[in-house]
Amino acid sequence: MQTGFATRPALVFGATGTDDVVAAVSHAAGAGLPLGVQATGHGVPGDWEGGVLISTRRMDTVRIDPGTRTATVGAGARWGQVVAASVAHGLAPLNGTAPSVGAVSYTLGGGLGILGRTFGYAADHVRAVDVVTADGVPRHVTADSDPELFWGLLGGGAQLGVVTSLEIGLVPVARLYGGALAFDGREVDPADVLRGYERWTRTLPDEVTSSLAALVYPDLPQLPPHLRGRYLLLIRIASTGSAADGERLVAPLREIGPTVSDTLHEMPYAESPAIHGDPDFPHAYYGDNVLLGELDPAAGAELLALTGPAAPSMHVVQMNHLGGALARPAANAVPYREAGWLIRILSPLDGTDVATLRALHAEAFGLVAPRALGRSLNFAFGGNDRPQDLYDPETLKRLAVLKATYDPANLFTYHHGTP
Ligand SMILES: Cc1cc2nc3c(=O)[nH]c(=O)nc-3n(C[C@H](O)[C@H](O)[C@H](O)COP(=O)(O)OP(=O)(O)OC[C@H]3O[C@@H](n4cnc5c(N)ncnc54)[C@H](O)[C@@H]3O)c2cc1C
């Protein structure tokens, strides 16, 4: 949960079902108050005060139909619940790295998951959306019933209504070859790790999804000794191929230099959250990102140097290799399919103010700007300052028409996508 920004609503509806959501939307619309939704509070867009907030926390049912490989996911369900329910049937959802993240909002923002290059964005696998629009009307929206609204809800984020549940397709994945290789950035040159990793990604089949993370772990006694105070570069991998193919594919990465740890192994899908080990405790953070056509390793290395141990405060950099099924066109508003890379910077708000972090992020993203296409909605944390480049102009225009049709009074303002 994000604790860096304050949400101070005038009224909170603890919704238990669609009727409560309809009542909350009708109340906010009638009173002329802005309306926000919160499932987990991970994606708080910024400081927000005085409106009506719907908490969907209690609407967390997950139903699996193994015959049609479908999960019906309530608005408050977290990925951990959906994964647990799916693996019982030898199936997997297109979840992200953290079990504590809300499945619905993640999917509305596109959803870049650990199997992204094999199966595409989570939004590409949605079969139906149940949503309450600003007029208080509950709608069951499919690609057949209302293709334009269906298109806009998936990728458009939270700006068109309150989603009460999603029907999502599951994939027949019961196991993975995956884990992380960790290099000490003070022993192996980070530029060499990045160069080796980028070169390696050019050879990969679509069954491999991976990313590079770089961070200085704080010197805290709660952390295991092999992490404390270390500057680590972690290459995280999830492959749906066999363990033998995985071992063969990762061989060039193991030659980059000595590793601090190497957790690559075959695992049941239920174990996959261990690949990234995202924090599951509340904390304060500011984050931004850029989608690139290609990654220039020299510019990427400069970005690592700026955000690494010499930086005045801590930053977590992630470079996600895209392409594969993520590049396939789909009937939704997830933009920038041509992007080859996503670079994210997440900066804890541990005494450093947002303005200072914004300036550092601008400098860092400026280094890779010549290849920039835009930004990803899901990785804009507390950064509601320039929503325009979250979409290409054509997608932005189509979303604006939907917004004018379904929310002309701009009731839904509690998200990063409101221009
Ligand atoms: C630790 C961590 C790991 C992450 N990993 C990934 C990842 O691997 N891939 C990825 O794509 N993203 C990832 N994200 C980003 C995440 O998908 C977004 O922040 C997402 O919006 C969080 O949703 P939430 O429900 O947990 O948060 P919330 O703060 O509850 O909601 C976030 C936004 O969605 C809106 N919203 C929530 N529920 C609804 C609803 N029912 N209807 C309409 N709008 C709604 C809210 O109003 C708010 O604007 C990660 C985030 C964190 C904190």
Side-chain angles (χ1 to χ4, degrees):
M1 166 161 194
Q2 164 69 281
T3 58
F5 299 89
T7 298
R8 292 200 188 86
L11 192 62
V12 178
F13 277 71
T16 56
T18 303
D19 289 349
D20 292 344
V21 173
V22 169
V25 170
S26 304
H27 176 81
L33 291 170
L35 186 117
V37 197
Q38 209 174 82
T40 72
H42 278 321
V44 172
D47 292 329
W48 193 80
E49 193 160 351
V52 173
L53 186 74
I54 300 175
S55 167
T56 60
R57 211 155 35 94
R58 296 169 186 80
M59 297 169 62
D60 66 347
T61 49
V62 178
R63 275 196 331 271
I64 308 289
D65 180 345
T68 57
R69 289 184 187 156
T70 305
T72 306
V73 177
R78 296 170 184 247
W79 274 127
Q81 295 167 262
V82 189
V83 170
S86 304
V87 297
H89 302 280
L91 298 168
L94 291 168
N95 56 292
T97 57
S100 63
V101 164
V104 165
S105 172
Y106 161 103
T107 305
L108 299 180
L112 173 62
I114 60 171
L115 304 181
R117 278 176 41 84
T118 317
F119 296 104
Y121 287 97
D124 304 349
H125 293 258
V126 174
R127 297 183 180 158
V129 184
D130 283 293
V131 61
V132 177
T133 40
D135 51 8
V137 175
R139 300 165 197 264
H140 182 73
V141 182
T142 66
D144 293 328
S145 74
D146 190 340
E148 191 62 10
L149 182 57
F150 187 74
W151 171 90
L153 285 165
L154 302 172
Q159 58 181 304
L160 297 173
V162 182
V163 171
T164 53
S165 82
L166 289 179
E167 271 173 52
I168 57 173
L170 303 171
V171 294
V173 174
R175 50 147 297 281
L176 282 180
Y177 172 82
L181 290 175
F183 300 90
D184 187 325
R186 294 188 178 98
E187 285 169 12
V188 185
D189 185 347
D192 288 343
V193 178
L194 178 57
R195 216 177 2 253
Y197 172 59
E198 191 276 337
R199 194 183 313 120
W200 178 72
T201 58
R202 287 189 233 153
T203 65
L204 290 180
D206 293 357
E207 68 202 31
V208 184
T209 303
S210 68
S211 63
L212 172 80
L215 72 157
V216 181
Y217 280 86
D219 190 5
L220 294 173
Q222 300 93 308
L223 289 173
H226 75 279
L227 296 180
R228 283 179 61 175
R230 260 188 148 139
Y231 177 42
L232 291 188
L233 293 113
L234 299 123
I235 299 177
R236 282 108 164 226
I237 296 166
S239 172
T240 52
S242 71
D245 284 349
E247 284 289 307
R248 188 177 43 76
L249 279 167
V250 301
L253 294 178
R254 288 184 166 135
E255 282 164 18
I256 290 174
T259 53
V260 177
S261 70
D262 179 341
T263 63
L264 289 164
H265 69 289
E266 177 144 47
M267 62 179 77
Y269 196 79
E271 231 183 74
S272 59
I275 296 174
H276 290 79
D278 279 348
D280 61 358
F281 48 86
H283 58 295
Y285 42 93
Y286 171 76
D288 211 341
N289 69 85
V290 65
L291 286 154
L292 305 174
E294 285 168 42
L295 176 64
D296 169 5
E302 283 183 59
L303 185 149
L304 289 179
L306 186 69
T307 52
S313 59
M314 180 186 172
H315 307 283
V316 182
V317 174
Q318 279 237 123
M319 300 188 181
N320 290 72
H321 175 225
L322 307 179
L326 295 163
R328 283 187 213 140
N332 58 48
V334 180
Y336 305 121
R337 299 253 169 191
E338 68 278 32
W341 290 85
L342 169 70
I343 300 191
R344 302 145 57 180
I345 306 177
L346 193 79
S347 305
L349 287 162
D350 51 3
T352 315
D353 61 284
V354 171
T356 305
L357 293 175
R358 273 204 183 122
L360 183 125
H361 285 204
E363 189 181 349
F365 291 126
L367 294 166
V368 292
R371 313 272 168 106
L373 299 169
R375 297 187 302 144
S376 165
L377 175 64
N378 269 5
F379 301 104
F381 293 111
N384 197 3
D385 55 332
R386 53 187 174 92
Q388 287 78 5
D389 59 0
L390 294 171
Y391 303 96
D392 58 85
E394 190 53 37
T395 303
L396 208 51
K397 222 186 294 169
R398 261 176 96 175
L399 284 173
V401 172
L402 280 168
K403 183 78 176 164
T405 307
Y406 288 99
D407 184 18
N410 200 13
L411 188 64
F412 305 117
T413 53
Y414 185 76
H415 60 90
H416 289 92
T418 311

